[in-house]
Amino acid sequence: RGTACLVAVLVLLTAQGVICCQRTRELVPRWTKGSEHLWREILKVDPVEPSTLRDLGTHVGARGRQKEAAKLLKRAVEANPTDPGAVMNFGTVQSQLGKSDAKQLFHTAIQIVKDALESRGGMSRNWELQQYQRLQRCYANLAGIAINAGEVDAAERHAKEALHYADQL
């Protein structure tokens, strides 16, 4: 019972930090220094807790530890393959590491978000804006990948999609 209470408190604290970051719409999360320790404590109790894996992976990736981030985000996607944030962030890290699967990860995240927008009509405007922001970021990343590959037409197409979703914000 004590362990369950500890996990509940840690999850609540973590959620509050994440909500704060989402409200400010920062691309690089500014979690408190102690958050990494809290996430690691949660993973000791539940090593496959998807949102904790995603948040910790995003956190360490934002601090330049891409290889560690990739491992955590891969586990997050394996634990919950329909979490667009985990898939998108894994794609970002894989792209930073020069991995070829980044492109497919962004396409997967786009499909997850579009499916969610289609099936969840009537959700709050804030939720909808978050989905448009994800789409904008995925398409912008795909444009960057295409530019690096010398695929000018694809880069232009993805950039137009990114701008379309940016206009929705």
Side-chain angles (χ1 to χ4, degrees), residues 84-106:
V87 176
M88 181 181 70
N89 292 345
F90 186 33
T92 299
V93 169
Q94 291 295 83
S95 177
Q96 292 166 345
L97 291 171
K99 303 292 183 178
S100 61
D101 63 340
K103 191 173 173 180
Q104 182 56 47
L105 288 162
F106 289 123

Side-chain angles (χ1 to χ4, degrees), residues 110 114 117 125 129 131-137 139-140 156-169:
I110 288 167
K114 286 183 175 182
L117 283 166
R125 180 68 179 149
L129 288 173
Q131 305 319 305
Y132 291 143
Q133 183 182 39
R134 285 177 170 159
L135 289 169
Q136 183 268 328
R137 288 176 61 198
Y139 280 114
E156 183 179 351
R157 191 173 60 252
H158 294 313
K160 285 180 181 177
E161 287 289 334
L163 290 172
H164 168 74
Y165 288 108
D167 287 342
Q168 306 297 316
L169 299 175

Side-chain angles (χ1 to χ4, degrees), residues 84 111-121 123 127 131:
Q111 193 58 56
I112 293 167
V113 171
K114 286 183 175 182
D115 289 348
L117 283 166
E118 209 173 279
S119 67
R120 295 183 187 163
M123 295 294 278
W127 178 85
Q131 305 319 305

Side-chain angles (χ1 to χ4, degrees), residues 1-131:
R1 185 173 182 206
T3 302
C5 289
L6 173 64
V7 170
V9 169
L10 293 174
V11 169
L12 178 61
L13 291 172
T14 301
Q16 288 173 344
V18 173
I19 290 167
C20 179
C21 291
Q22 288 173 349
R23 282 192 194 131
T24 59
R25 299 179 156 282
E26 294 179 21
L27 292 178
V28 177
R30 288 179 32 186
W31 291 299
T32 62
K33 188 176 181 180
S35 295
E36 184 171 339
H37 173 73
L38 293 175
W39 287 314
R40 291 190 189 285
E41 288 299 313
I42 292 170
L43 291 176
K44 285 180 186 175
V45 176
D46 185 357
V48 293
E49 205 292 306
S51 62
T52 302
L53 289 164
R54 178 198 61 221
D55 295 343
L56 179 57
T58 302
H59 174 82
V60 300
R63 279 149 184 78
R65 295 162 24 211
Q66 272 61 37
K67 288 182 181 179
E68 180 184 1
K71 290 176 185 175
L72 290 161
L73 290 165
K74 181 179 182 184
R75 288 174 50 204
V77 170
E78 288 169 348
N80 183 3
T82 61
D83 178 347
V87 176
M88 181 181 70
N89 292 345
F90 186 33
T92 299
V93 169
Q94 291 295 83
S95 177
Q96 292 166 345
L97 291 171
K99 303 292 183 178
S100 61
D101 63 340
K103 191 173 173 180
Q104 182 56 47
L105 288 162
F106 289 123
H107 283 294
T108 300
I110 288 167
Q111 193 58 56
I112 293 167
V113 171
K114 286 183 175 182
D115 289 348
L117 283 166
E118 209 173 279
S119 67
R120 295 183 187 163
M123 295 294 278
S124 74
R125 180 68 179 149
N126 286 338
W127 178 85
E128 190 176 277
L129 288 173
Q130 182 182 33
Q131 305 319 305

